[in-house]
Each structure stands twice: as C-alpha cells, then as structure tokens.
Amino acid sequence: MKIFLPLLLSVFLCTCGSAPATSSTDDAATQQTRSVYEDLSPEEFAEKIGDPNTVLLDVRTPGETARGVIDGALELDYRSPEFATQLQELDPTKTYLVYCASGGRSGKACKMMDELGFNKSYNLVGGYSAWVK
C-alpha cells in the first residue's frame, strides 16, 4: 500500500498533460496588468522630446505652470474635476511625455493612461523640479 499510493499519484500527475494554451481572456488580463509607462530621468526625458507622434503633457495646476513650463507642453491640470474626461479625449495611439512638479501626479496620470489603453507614456522622475536643475 505504501508503494501503491505514490505510484498512483505519479501516474496521475504524468497523465495530466501540459497546461492548456492561454485564451484570449487570459491575454486581455495580461495586457491589463502590464504597464506601458516608464519612469525617465530628466536626461532621458529630454532625448524623447520632439520624437514623431509624441506629445509633451504638463499635468500641473495653472499656478504651477505660471512659474514655468517645458516649451510645447499641453497643459491638463491633474487636480481639475475634468482631468479624467480631458485625458480620454487624447489620442491613445500617440506617445506621451508626462510631467508634474515632482513626479507623483504625472506617475498617477500615466497609470490612468495605462488603464485607458494608451500605447505608451513616460513619467519624468522628479518632475519639473528635476527638469530645471
């Protein structure tokens, strides 16, 4: 009996075969959990400005942007009640370079963009504060 049980168990495990191929629902779940945004240093961020199909996105408040912006940035206030709606109106096929004052709100904005199905976004680590140094 002591030999029979392990033998039976090994036969059962060997005959179960390999795991089934993933279904399209598994692929969708994987795609939802993958992150399409990356954190970039100011130097790496600067190298991407001007790339084709790329939009520079400033998510600071109007008071913050009054103290300076990166030239050419589209301004959408993360703290505005309309922010989520404005974000949904952007073209998700473009690449977005996103920044705020210190990198927190822009990171959250990038996560929102992931959830909305945007292809690619980059978060400026340290935000505008790091940019001006």
Side-chain angles (χ1 to χ4, degrees):
M1 185 70 170
K2 288 183 180 181
I3 296 175
F4 180 74
L5 187 57
L7 182 61
L8 180 63
L9 185 58
S10 66
V11 169
F12 174 76
L13 291 174
C14 290
T15 58
C16 287
S18 61
T22 59
S23 67
S24 60
T25 56
D26 290 339
D27 291 341
T30 300
Q31 190 167 358
Q32 286 179 343
T33 59
R34 72 172 171 79
S35 177
V36 295
Y37 91 88
E38 294 177 39
D39 290 326
L40 297 180
S41 69
E43 296 78 20
E44 294 167 322
F45 197 84
E47 289 174 8
K48 297 208 174 281
I49 293 175
D51 283 356
N53 205 37
T54 300
V55 176
L56 187 57
L57 182 60
D58 186 334
V59 296
R60 296 177 299 152
T61 65
E64 291 170 313
T65 60
R67 293 187 289 259
V69 297
I70 300 174
D71 288 338
L74 171 65
E75 297 173 25
L76 295 182
D77 181 358
Y78 181 85
R79 294 187 177 143
S80 166
E82 293 86 31
F83 181 74
T85 302
Q86 292 171 330
L87 204 57
Q88 291 173 357
E89 293 171 355
L90 299 176
D91 183 350
T93 65
K94 293 188 180 281
T95 298
Y96 291 86
L97 300 170
V98 187
Y99 71 97
C100 65
S102 63
R105 285 172 285 169
S106 54
K108 290 176 185 176
C110 286
K111 286 179 186 177
M112 289 175 70
M113 296 168 93
D114 278 356
E115 293 168 3
L116 291 170
F118 281 68
N119 288 346
K120 191 70 185 169
S121 58
Y122 295 97
N123 176 43
L124 175 59
V125 173
Y128 189 73
S129 299
W131 178 262
V132 295
K133 287 186 179 180

